Amino acid sequence: MDNWNYRTVGIPDSEFIRGEIPMTKEEVRTISLSKLRLKDDSIVYDIGAGTGSLTIESALLASKGRVYAIERETEGVDLIKSNAAKFQVSNLEVIQGSAPKALLDLPEVDRVFIGGSGGKLEEILDVIDKKLKAKGRIVINAITLNTLNSSIKKLEELAYDFEICNIAVTRTRQVGDYQMLQGLNPVYIISGEKG
Amino acid sequence: MDNWNYRTVGIPDSEFIRGEIPMTKEEVRTISLSKLRLKDDSIVYDIGAGTGSLTIESALLASKGRVYAIERETEGVDLIKSNAAKFQVSNLEVIQGSAPKALLDLPEVDRVFIGGSGGKLEEILDVIDKKLKAKGRIVINAITLNTLNSSIKKLEELAYDFEICNIAVTRTRQVGDYQMLQGLNPVYIISGEKG
Amino acid sequence: MDNWNYRTVGIPDSEFIRGEIPMTKEEVRTISLSKLRLKDDSIVYDIGAGTGSLTIESALLASKGRVYAIERETEGVDLIKSNAAKFQVSNLEVIQGSAPKALLDLPEVDRVFIGGSGGKLEEILDVIDKKLKAKGRIVINAITLNTLNSSIKKLEELAYDFEICNIAVTRTRQVGDYQMLQGLNPVYIISGEKG
Amino acid sequence: MDNWNYRTVGIPDSEFIRGEIPMTKEEVRTISLSKLRLKDDSIVYDIGAGTGSLTIESALLASKGRVYAIERETEGVDLIKSNAAKFQVSNLEVIQGSAPKALLDLPEVDRVFIGGSGGKLEEILDVIDKKLKAKGRIVINAITLNTLNSSIKKLEELAYDFEICNIAVTRTRQVGDYQMLQGLNPVYIISGEKG
């Protein structure tokens, strides 16, 4: 499954080359991409890109645009590159570094996904606000209450239109003849649009 | 927002013309479409199409294909047509009737979504199995344990590869300065692929 | 079922006399009571007591103690009294008024449940902290992110030991032969103990 | 915390001596005990008793009754005995063996909890039905769809009144200054009463 020949997103988690780095799981990734409302020619930042699963899917959709994947860990940077090679996408750039500093030299942007913020979410949102075009969109995945609260506080301050949902996915796992219920960690997805 | 100019799915629920007919909500619709793995030229059945939210989004993705929306209620049929007009999609056909009977004269199919089965899921799956091409995919939304069980039983019998997930979405609703938590009904999504 | 002859809590919602007032649902009530760790002789405040479901169950457990139910709405006050009569509990007092003001003349307390705070949670927690005995416990139900955050902020400030859980209950409802899945609104339960 | 001096259930998971054996988590245990509606003098079976967490809490509540813990693994049997000693409860009996066989010589019963059934749920329910007094109650925890379905099928066949709920607990875990969301596996709780 090295080419993803579908118009829809949702590459199975197991198709990505993975290390010890956390990964945005298929269903949460699918909804996050949906809330981003990508276009063919979108310029995208993927901040805290991890294994690059969202980077790859964004790049496949924004085939005439460009995706900037920001990741501070060397292992993550290598995984993103490996996955880009596996899925044959080249309209992306991997930047090793931490946001917001790593964002300063990047071009203006249409869509921003924040999967990880290293405790600097508010500073990151301040910098993004200067780079984000009118009607541009930001989607944040929060796995802590702190990130959820910082997102709300800052998006209110910046007067973005935003909505929040929480996604709790349970998968079944076949064990012998049994379908066992396995709960994944719930994720808050905050989606904002610049006025 | 009468044109949906994005490469991603997930048209907000409020954008659809709605009646009293139940509707597949945005996040569950997004994941269901993802599990369908639509292509440009897919032939799709949408069984129990309701307001047509999934019909419209499928038709936008399968722009060179064709979507057959099966719906027994006149109100639903009218809503699907109204929504097709609103979103300017024409590669679809609305068929008033009940599955499996309404399926008999339809052409072979690549992708099938079942949002409602009127208590005849097993018969419907038997008929679909004859119409579905190799590697074709079926996605079922189950809001009852009965539909979940019938899906499992029949897909096992037909020897399809399948997986199950349950999606519980909580949205926040702004009430004054407060973000209230509102739980939507959880939905099981069963996704099968023909061997 | 006018006498609850069980050692366990969890009176079914339908057994309470109910009006338009919101009610702590059975499963969330059961866990909230558990986190309160009531004793035979506990002195309890139930703040925002609503229909009195938690008041009644607390009074049944703390049979040698006393429960003070604070409720500002006349409809609520009447419902609590009606439910107390129905379940034949008399070791409780209903106080019409708003916290924190309504708490000022109350005696010292062992256990406090906060089901509603009328937007004054932080002031309420400040007053409770003065009334609460050492090793006393507070349990808060939050149905908004704001209440959740105020709880965390204030309990950290007061240096209480606390833990948080979120409970999402889905019930099945029998419709004909079908078991429909119905999601209740998720509730955060914050449980703190005074050092 | 070797004596549990509270009228409420919900001993924290960490208070039990634990091995590799699965354990009914605090919040699910609390609701399961609530649905059992225990009395002072209840005779209880705890089938698939594991570490004995529900055995211990049942025995504390049914202080004039008796709890029969059935467990096939030696490690489990030892853990139940260790936990009984730790919490100083003696109105219980640990039976090493598998249900339904291990039930045959037991006395009539008021309340039955089934935490594990080793794939023999339907046979177990048939045997229990013969032992269970009128108005007796059965509570089943299902972590697989198969157990859920067998429960429904058999309780319908036996014409028990029953209800089903699913409990999805998310806990927060403090990591540095952060409150991380951790989803536990959801559990279906089926509660039936004999006519």
Side-chain angles (χ1 to χ4, degrees), chain D residues 86-113:
Chain D
K86 177 175 198 258
F87 289 99
Q88 301 171 33
V89 288
S90 55
N91 56 327
L92 60 83
E93 219 160 289
V94 189
I95 295 152
Q96 183 159 14
S98 291
K101 204 178 157 212
L103 306 173
L104 295 177
D105 295 331
L106 296 184
E108 285 198 319
V109 69
D110 300 295
R111 302 290 187 260
V112 179
F113 175 74

PDB file of all heavy atoms in Angstrom, chain D residues 86-113:
ATOM      1  N   LYS D  86      -5.822  -8.390  53.879  1.00  0.00           N
ATOM      2  CA  LYS D  86      -5.474  -6.958  53.973  1.00  0.00           C
ATOM      3  C   LYS D  86      -6.671  -6.139  54.450  1.00  0.00           C
ATOM      4  O   LYS D  86      -6.531  -5.247  55.282  1.00  0.00           O
ATOM      5  CB  LYS D  86      -5.003  -6.469  52.594  1.00  0.00           C
ATOM      6  CG  LYS D  86      -4.687  -4.974  52.564  1.00  0.00           C
ATOM      7  CD  LYS D  86      -4.111  -4.528  51.218  1.00  0.00           C
ATOM      8  CE  LYS D  86      -3.409  -3.172  51.353  1.00  0.00           C
ATOM      9  NZ  LYS D  86      -4.135  -2.032  50.892  1.00  0.00           N
ATOM     10  N   PHE D  87      -7.845  -6.412  53.897  1.00  0.00           N
ATOM     11  CA  PHE D  87      -9.018  -5.600  54.250  1.00  0.00           C
ATOM     12  C   PHE D  87      -9.841  -6.237  55.385  1.00  0.00           C
ATOM     13  O   PHE D  87     -10.929  -5.754  55.703  1.00  0.00           O
ATOM     14  CB  PHE D  87      -9.880  -5.334  53.003  1.00  0.00           C
ATOM     15  CG  PHE D  87      -9.225  -4.382  52.062  1.00  0.00           C
ATOM     16  CD1 PHE D  87      -8.531  -4.837  50.944  1.00  0.00           C
ATOM     17  CD2 PHE D  87      -9.261  -3.020  52.305  1.00  0.00           C
ATOM     18  CE1 PHE D  87      -7.897  -3.953  50.089  1.00  0.00           C
ATOM     19  CE2 PHE D  87      -8.634  -2.127  51.457  1.00  0.00           C
ATOM     20  CZ  PHE D  87      -7.943  -2.593  50.343  1.00  0.00           C
ATOM     21  N   GLN D  88      -9.311  -7.325  55.958  1.00  0.00           N
ATOM     22  CA  GLN D  88      -9.913  -7.924  57.144  1.00  0.00           C
ATOM     23  C   GLN D  88     -11.372  -8.307  56.952  1.00  0.00           C
ATOM     24  O   GLN D  88     -12.222  -8.002  57.780  1.00  0.00           O
ATOM     25  CB  GLN D  88      -9.741  -6.962  58.340  1.00  0.00           C
ATOM     26  CG  GLN D  88      -8.260  -6.669  58.610  1.00  0.00           C
ATOM     27  CD  GLN D  88      -8.062  -5.558  59.634  1.00  0.00           C
ATOM     28  OE1 GLN D  88      -8.857  -5.402  60.557  1.00  0.00           O
ATOM     29  NE2 GLN D  88      -7.007  -4.798  59.474  1.00  0.00           N
ATOM     30  N   VAL D  89     -11.644  -8.962  55.831  1.00  0.00           N
ATOM     31  CA  VAL D  89     -12.991  -9.498  55.631  1.00  0.00           C
ATOM     32  C   VAL D  89     -12.918 -11.015  55.661  1.00  0.00           C
ATOM     33  O   VAL D  89     -12.005 -11.616  55.096  1.00  0.00           O
ATOM     34  CB  VAL D  89     -13.648  -9.042  54.304  1.00  0.00           C
ATOM     35  CG1 VAL D  89     -14.037  -7.578  54.371  1.00  0.00           C
ATOM     36  CG2 VAL D  89     -12.764  -9.315  53.112  1.00  0.00           C
ATOM     37  N   SER D  90     -13.874 -11.620  56.333  1.00  0.00           N
ATOM     38  CA  SER D  90     -13.808 -13.071  56.481  1.00  0.00           C
ATOM     39  C   SER D  90     -15.098 -13.762  56.022  1.00  0.00           C
ATOM     40  O   SER D  90     -15.158 -14.982  55.953  1.00  0.00           O
ATOM     41  CB  SER D  90     -13.513 -13.426  57.931  1.00  0.00           C
ATOM     42  OG  SER D  90     -14.482 -12.810  58.752  1.00  0.00           O
ATOM     43  N   ASN D  91     -16.129 -12.982  55.687  1.00  0.00           N
ATOM     44  CA  ASN D  91     -17.385 -13.602  55.234  1.00  0.00           C
ATOM     45  C   ASN D  91     -17.336 -13.915  53.745  1.00  0.00           C
ATOM     46  O   ASN D  91     -18.210 -13.537  52.984  1.00  0.00           O
ATOM     47  CB  ASN D  91     -18.580 -12.691  55.567  1.00  0.00           C
ATOM     48  CG  ASN D  91     -18.424 -11.296  54.990  1.00  0.00           C
ATOM     49  OD1 ASN D  91     -17.323 -10.773  54.893  1.00  0.00           O
ATOM     50  ND2 ASN D  91     -19.534 -10.705  54.581  1.00  0.00           N
ATOM     51  N   LEU D  92     -16.273 -14.600  53.368  1.00  0.00           N
ATOM     52  CA  LEU D  92     -16.144 -14.979  51.966  1.00  0.00           C
ATOM     53  C   LEU D  92     -15.441 -16.321  51.872  1.00  0.00           C
ATOM     54  O   LEU D  92     -14.730 -16.749  52.784  1.00  0.00           O
ATOM     55  CB  LEU D  92     -15.398 -13.911  51.166  1.00  0.00           C
ATOM     56  CG  LEU D  92     -13.971 -13.547  51.562  1.00  0.00           C
ATOM     57  CD1 LEU D  92     -12.962 -14.513  50.967  1.00  0.00           C
ATOM     58  CD2 LEU D  92     -13.685 -12.144  51.047  1.00  0.00           C
ATOM     59  N   GLU D  93     -15.656 -16.957  50.732  1.00  0.00           N
ATOM     60  CA  GLU D  93     -15.040 -18.250  50.466  1.00  0.00           C
ATOM     61  C   GLU D  93     -14.456 -18.192  49.060  1.00  0.00           C
ATOM     62  O   GLU D  93     -15.141 -17.742  48.140  1.00  0.00           O
ATOM     63  CB  GLU D  93     -16.133 -19.325  50.502  1.00  0.00           C
ATOM     64  CG  GLU D  93     -15.717 -20.619  51.146  1.00  0.00           C
ATOM     65  CD  GLU D  93     -16.965 -21.398  51.569  1.00  0.00           C
ATOM     66  OE1 GLU D  93     -17.660 -20.999  52.545  1.00  0.00           O
ATOM     67  OE2 GLU D  93     -17.257 -22.397  50.884  1.00  0.00           O
ATOM     68  N   VAL D  94     -13.223 -18.625  48.929  1.00  0.00           N
ATOM     69  CA  VAL D  94     -12.608 -18.631  47.607  1.00  0.00           C
ATOM     70  C   VAL D  94     -12.626 -20.051  47.062  1.00  0.00           C
ATOM     71  O   VAL D  94     -12.160 -20.979  47.729  1.00  0.00           O
ATOM     72  CB  VAL D  94     -11.157 -18.108  47.651  1.00  0.00           C
ATOM     73  CG1 VAL D  94     -10.620 -17.930  46.232  1.00  0.00           C
ATOM     74  CG2 VAL D  94     -11.084 -16.798  48.420  1.00  0.00           C
ATOM     75  N   ILE D  95     -13.184 -20.209  45.877  1.00  0.00           N
ATOM     76  CA  ILE D  95     -13.307 -21.538  45.277  1.00  0.00           C
ATOM     77  C   ILE D  95     -12.478 -21.573  44.001  1.00  0.00           C
ATOM     78  O   ILE D  95     -12.749 -20.822  43.069  1.00  0.00           O
ATOM     79  CB  ILE D  95     -14.787 -21.845  44.969  1.00  0.00           C
ATOM     80  CG1 ILE D  95     -15.550 -21.927  46.294  1.00  0.00           C
ATOM     81  CG2 ILE D  95     -14.922 -23.139  44.165  1.00  0.00           C
ATOM     82  CD1 ILE D  95     -16.993 -21.556  46.184  1.00  0.00           C
ATOM     83  N   GLN D  96     -11.464 -22.417  43.974  1.00  0.00           N
ATOM     84  CA  GLN D  96     -10.678 -22.533  42.751  1.00  0.00           C
ATOM     85  C   GLN D  96     -11.368 -23.488  41.798  1.00  0.00           C
ATOM     86  O   GLN D  96     -11.612 -24.647  42.107  1.00  0.00           O
ATOM     87  CB  GLN D  96      -9.252 -23.008  43.052  1.00  0.00           C
ATOM     88  CG  GLN D  96      -8.396 -23.060  41.782  1.00  0.00           C
ATOM     89  CD  GLN D  96      -6.908 -23.028  42.037  1.00  0.00           C
ATOM     90  OE1 GLN D  96      -6.453 -23.227  43.161  1.00  0.00           O
ATOM     91  NE2 GLN D  96      -6.130 -22.758  40.994  1.00  0.00           N
ATOM     92  N   GLY D  97     -11.680 -22.977  40.621  1.00  0.00           N
ATOM     93  CA  GLY D  97     -12.361 -23.804  39.645  1.00  0.00           C
ATOM     94  C   GLY D  97     -13.005 -22.939  38.596  1.00  0.00           C
ATOM     95  O   GLY D  97     -12.893 -21.712  38.641  1.00  0.00           O
ATOM     96  N   SER D  98     -13.668 -23.596  37.637  1.00  0.00           N
ATOM     97  CA  SER D  98     -14.301 -22.881  36.540  1.00  0.00           C
ATOM     98  C   SER D  98     -15.810 -22.996  36.647  1.00  0.00           C
ATOM     99  O   SER D  98     -16.340 -24.067  36.937  1.00  0.00           O
ATOM    100  CB  SER D  98     -13.874 -23.484  35.195  1.00  0.00           C
ATOM    101  OG  SER D  98     -12.513 -23.219  34.959  1.00  0.00           O
ATOM    102  N   ALA D  99     -16.491 -21.884  36.403  1.00  0.00           N
ATOM    103  CA  ALA D  99     -17.937 -21.924  36.277  1.00  0.00           C
ATOM    104  C   ALA D  99     -18.272 -22.502  34.905  1.00  0.00           C
ATOM    105  O   ALA D  99     -17.505 -22.316  33.966  1.00  0.00           O
ATOM    106  CB  ALA D  99     -18.501 -20.520  36.451  1.00  0.00           C
ATOM    107  N   PRO D 100     -19.395 -23.192  34.689  1.00  0.00           N
ATOM    108  CA  PRO D 100     -20.434 -23.393  35.689  1.00  0.00           C
ATOM    109  C   PRO D 100     -20.157 -24.544  36.660  1.00  0.00           C
ATOM    110  O   PRO D 100     -20.823 -24.630  37.690  1.00  0.00           O
ATOM    111  CB  PRO D 100     -21.664 -23.716  34.837  1.00  0.00           C
ATOM    112  CG  PRO D 100     -21.135 -24.352  33.609  1.00  0.00           C
ATOM    113  CD  PRO D 100     -19.807 -23.706  33.362  1.00  0.00           C
ATOM    114  N   LYS D 101     -19.174 -25.391  36.369  1.00  0.00           N
ATOM    115  CA  LYS D 101     -18.982 -26.572  37.203  1.00  0.00           C
ATOM    116  C   LYS D 101     -18.800 -26.225  38.676  1.00  0.00           C
ATOM    117  O   LYS D 101     -19.388 -26.855  39.565  1.00  0.00           O
ATOM    118  CB  LYS D 101     -17.764 -27.373  36.696  1.00  0.00           C
ATOM    119  CG  LYS D 101     -17.800 -28.834  37.069  1.00  0.00           C
ATOM    120  CD  LYS D 101     -16.600 -29.594  36.496  1.00  0.00           C
ATOM    121  CE  LYS D 101     -16.366 -30.856  37.316  1.00  0.00           C
ATOM    122  NZ  LYS D 101     -14.923 -31.217  37.382  1.00  0.00           N
ATOM    123  N   ALA D 102     -17.988 -25.199  38.925  1.00  0.00           N
ATOM    124  CA  ALA D 102     -17.663 -24.834  40.310  1.00  0.00           C
ATOM    125  C   ALA D 102     -18.865 -24.296  41.084  1.00  0.00           C
ATOM    126  O   ALA D 102     -18.809 -24.124  42.301  1.00  0.00           O
ATOM    127  CB  ALA D 102     -16.536 -23.795  40.306  1.00  0.00           C
ATOM    128  N   LEU D 103     -19.962 -24.022  40.372  1.00  0.00           N
ATOM    129  CA  LEU D 103     -21.143 -23.452  41.041  1.00  0.00           C
ATOM    130  C   LEU D 103     -22.075 -24.529  41.592  1.00  0.00           C
ATOM    131  O   LEU D 103     -22.940 -24.244  42.436  1.00  0.00           O
ATOM    132  CB  LEU D 103     -21.958 -22.580  40.060  1.00  0.00           C
ATOM    133  CG  LEU D 103     -21.208 -21.470  39.320  1.00  0.00           C
ATOM    134  CD1 LEU D 103     -22.123 -20.823  38.280  1.00  0.00           C
ATOM    135  CD2 LEU D 103     -20.715 -20.426  40.316  1.00  0.00           C
ATOM    136  N   LEU D 104     -21.906 -25.750  41.106  1.00  0.00           N
ATOM    137  CA  LEU D 104     -22.951 -26.750  41.301  1.00  0.00           C
ATOM    138  C   LEU D 104     -23.259 -27.036  42.773  1.00  0.00           C
ATOM    139  O   LEU D 104     -24.415 -27.238  43.143  1.00  0.00           O
ATOM    140  CB  LEU D 104     -22.582 -28.046  40.565  1.00  0.00           C
ATOM    141  CG  LEU D 104     -22.523 -27.889  39.032  1.00  0.00           C
ATOM    142  CD1 LEU D 104     -22.074 -29.186  38.365  1.00  0.00           C
ATOM    143  CD2 LEU D 104     -23.867 -27.427  38.445  1.00  0.00           C
ATOM    144  N   ASP D 105     -22.228 -27.017  43.609  1.00  0.00           N
ATOM    145  CA  ASP D 105     -22.443 -27.343  45.030  1.00  0.00           C
ATOM    146  C   ASP D 105     -22.719 -26.131  45.914  1.00  0.00           C
ATOM    147  O   ASP D 105     -22.856 -26.257  47.124  1.00  0.00           O
ATOM    148  CB  ASP D 105     -21.206 -28.083  45.582  1.00  0.00           C
ATOM    149  CG  ASP D 105     -21.046 -29.433  44.894  1.00  0.00           C
ATOM    150  OD1 ASP D 105     -22.074 -30.010  44.464  1.00  0.00           O
ATOM    151  OD2 ASP D 105     -19.891 -29.890  44.764  1.00  0.00           O
ATOM    152  N   LEU D 106     -22.781 -24.956  45.292  1.00  0.00           N
ATOM    153  CA  LEU D 106     -22.977 -23.743  46.101  1.00  0.00           C
ATOM    154  C   LEU D 106     -24.445 -23.602  46.498  1.00  0.00           C
ATOM    155  O   LEU D 106     -25.345 -24.097  45.817  1.00  0.00           O
ATOM    156  CB  LEU D 106     -22.530 -22.501  45.324  1.00  0.00           C
ATOM    157  CG  LEU D 106     -21.037 -22.427  44.970  1.00  0.00           C
ATOM    158  CD1 LEU D 106     -20.736 -21.090  44.292  1.00  0.00           C
ATOM    159  CD2 LEU D 106     -20.167 -22.600  46.204  1.00  0.00           C
ATOM    160  N   PRO D 107     -24.696 -22.903  47.614  1.00  0.00           N
ATOM    161  CA  PRO D 107     -26.082 -22.675  48.058  1.00  0.00           C
ATOM    162  C   PRO D 107     -26.812 -21.696  47.131  1.00  0.00           C
ATOM    163  O   PRO D 107     -26.193 -21.077  46.268  1.00  0.00           O
ATOM    164  CB  PRO D 107     -25.896 -22.059  49.448  1.00  0.00           C
ATOM    165  CG  PRO D 107     -24.548 -21.432  49.426  1.00  0.00           C
ATOM    166  CD  PRO D 107     -23.709 -22.281  48.512  1.00  0.00           C
ATOM    167  N   GLU D 108     -28.097 -21.557  47.357  1.00  0.00           N
ATOM    168  CA  GLU D 108     -28.890 -20.551  46.628  1.00  0.00           C
ATOM    169  C   GLU D 108     -28.291 -19.165  46.787  1.00  0.00           C
ATOM    170  O   GLU D 108     -27.598 -18.897  47.763  1.00  0.00           O
ATOM    171  CB  GLU D 108     -30.318 -20.535  47.181  1.00  0.00           C
ATOM    172  CG  GLU D 108     -31.154 -21.705  46.761  1.00  0.00           C
ATOM    173  CD  GLU D 108     -32.644 -21.380  46.969  1.00  0.00           C
ATOM    174  OE1 GLU D 108     -32.958 -20.777  48.008  1.00  0.00           O
ATOM    175  OE2 GLU D 108     -33.455 -21.718  46.099  1.00  0.00           O
ATOM    176  N   VAL D 109     -28.598 -18.313  45.850  1.00  0.00           N
ATOM    177  CA  VAL D 109     -27.885 -17.040  45.792  1.00  0.00           C
ATOM    178  C   VAL D 109     -28.858 -15.881  45.551  1.00  0.00           C
ATOM    179  O   VAL D 109     -29.913 -16.051  44.934  1.00  0.00           O
ATOM    180  CB  VAL D 109     -26.786 -17.120  44.696  1.00  0.00           C
ATOM    181  CG1 VAL D 109     -27.392 -17.194  43.300  1.00  0.00           C
ATOM    182  CG2 VAL D 109     -25.802 -15.974  44.801  1.00  0.00           C
ATOM    183  N   ASP D 110     -28.466 -14.681  46.077  1.00  0.00           N
ATOM    184  CA  ASP D 110     -29.263 -13.467  45.880  1.00  0.00           C
ATOM    185  C   ASP D 110     -28.733 -12.578  44.769  1.00  0.00           C
ATOM    186  O   ASP D 110     -29.483 -11.882  44.087  1.00  0.00           O
ATOM    187  CB  ASP D 110     -29.276 -12.627  47.170  1.00  0.00           C
ATOM    188  CG  ASP D 110     -29.851 -13.357  48.354  1.00  0.00           C
ATOM    189  OD1 ASP D 110     -31.054 -13.669  48.294  1.00  0.00           O
ATOM    190  OD2 ASP D 110     -29.109 -13.638  49.325  1.00  0.00           O
ATOM    191  N   ARG D 111     -27.416 -12.557  44.674  1.00  0.00           N
ATOM    192  CA  ARG D 111     -26.767 -11.614  43.763  1.00  0.00           C
ATOM    193  C   ARG D 111     -25.596 -12.306  43.089  1.00  0.00           C
ATOM    194  O   ARG D 111     -24.815 -12.989  43.771  1.00  0.00           O
ATOM    195  CB  ARG D 111     -26.204 -10.410  44.542  1.00  0.00           C
ATOM    196  CG  ARG D 111     -27.225  -9.630  45.364  1.00  0.00           C
ATOM    197  CD  ARG D 111     -28.175  -8.876  44.465  1.00  0.00           C
ATOM    198  NE  ARG D 111     -29.068  -7.984  45.172  1.00  0.00           N
ATOM    199  CZ  ARG D 111     -30.351  -8.276  45.462  1.00  0.00           C
ATOM    200  NH1 ARG D 111     -30.870  -9.453  45.144  1.00  0.00           N
ATOM    201  NH2 ARG D 111     -31.111  -7.375  46.049  1.00  0.00           N
ATOM    202  N   VAL D 112     -25.458 -12.100  41.780  1.00  0.00           N
ATOM    203  CA  VAL D 112     -24.359 -12.717  41.034  1.00  0.00           C
ATOM    204  C   VAL D 112     -23.660 -11.673  40.188  1.00  0.00           C
ATOM    205  O   VAL D 112     -24.298 -10.945  39.424  1.00  0.00           O
ATOM    206  CB  VAL D 112     -24.879 -13.840  40.112  1.00  0.00           C
ATOM    207  CG1 VAL D 112     -23.729 -14.454  39.311  1.00  0.00           C
ATOM    208  CG2 VAL D 112     -25.602 -14.917  40.914  1.00  0.00           C
ATOM    209  N   PHE D 113     -22.345 -11.598  40.329  1.00  0.00           N
ATOM    210  CA  PHE D 113     -21.551 -10.750  39.458  1.00  0.00           C
ATOM    211  C   PHE D 113     -20.684 -11.650  38.588  1.00  0.00           C
ATOM    212  O   PHE D 113     -20.066 -12.595  39.074  1.00  0.00           O
ATOM    213  CB  PHE D 113     -20.646  -9.815  40.272  1.00  0.00           C
ATOM    214  CG  PHE D 113     -19.725  -9.002  39.397  1.00  0.00           C
ATOM    215  CD1 PHE D 113     -20.222  -7.933  38.658  1.00  0.00           C
ATOM    216  CD2 PHE D 113     -18.374  -9.318  39.279  1.00  0.00           C
ATOM    217  CE1 PHE D 113     -19.389  -7.183  37.822  1.00  0.00           C
ATOM    218  CE2 PHE D 113     -17.539  -8.574  38.446  1.00  0.00           C
ATOM    219  CZ  PHE D 113     -18.048  -7.510  37.720  1.00  0.00           C
TER     220      PHE D 113
END
